Amino acid sequence: MTKILLSLHVLAAIIAVGPVTVAASMFPAAARKATAALPVVPAPPAASADTAGEAGTVRLLHRICRVYAGLGIAVPVLGFATAAAMGVLQDAWLIASITLTAVAAGLLAAFVLPRQEELLEKLTGGRPVERAATARLAMFTGLFNLLWATVTILMIVRPGSTTGA
């Protein structure tokens, strides 16, 4: 049963967290590109189509982040089930991983997704976004990704493990 739970946990992490990290990383640059595509003066129809396409990309990236963040709840649920089956709920590496996962989830919910929504609202309203706003979003996204990378390493290395090298 442990192998099945572990397999499901890893698959959930890849399928749910992977798209969020990629889409969230792409979002700031896509928002800057969409801002650059905004017409300064009334634009010809071709330019309007380009602007709509750029905003559509930003909208899609935000939707991917929102949907897969919701699916990402499966990762800690399956992780707790796996840890209980393995009898490692008290291990320091797992407690550190749980803490970092909670921080990453909080960062996503409190800083990344709301800032994406703000920038998306501006773009769909035809207003440009400030470079500083996309830079801050990129910083929060980078921290989110760094936390997940750290959790992944802890899950593989598992300090004190007798099963690893």
Side-chain angles (χ1 to χ4, degrees):
M1 186 63 164
T2 302
K3 289 180 182 182
I4 292 171
L5 286 171
L6 182 58
S7 296
L8 291 173
H9 172 62
V10 170
L11 283 171
I14 292 167
I15 292 169
V17 178
V20 174
T21 59
V22 172
S25 295
M26 294 172 66
F27 189 97
R32 284 190 294 271
K33 188 174 179 183
T35 293
L38 288 174
V40 178
V41 294
S48 298
D50 290 344
T51 302
E54 299 297 340
T57 300
V58 175
R59 187 177 299 107
L60 175 64
L61 291 171
H62 177 61
R63 182 181 171 102
I64 289 169
C65 290
R66 264 193 2 256
V67 170
Y68 283 91
L71 295 175
I73 298 299
V75 176
V77 169
L78 290 165
F80 274 113
T82 304
M86 292 173 68
V88 295
L89 283 172
Q90 301 299 319
D91 287 9
W93 65 269
L94 184 67
I95 294 167
S97 294
I98 291 167
T99 303
L100 293 175
T101 297
V103 171
L107 191 62
L108 182 67
F111 294 99
V112 175
L113 293 175
R115 280 180 171 70
Q116 284 183 351
E117 288 172 14
E118 290 171 11
L119 295 179
L120 185 56
E121 284 176 17
K122 283 185 176 184
L123 288 170
T124 55
R127 298 185 321 264
V129 297
E130 302 80 28
R131 180 153 177 84
T134 60
R136 277 190 301 277
L137 176 58
M139 177 192 66
F140 290 125
T141 300
L143 289 172
F144 171 77
N145 292 344
L146 181 62
L147 288 167
W148 273 115
T150 304
V151 169
T152 302
I153 291 167
L154 281 171
M155 291 289 147
I156 294 168
V157 174
R158 298 184 348 207
S161 171
T162 57
T163 59

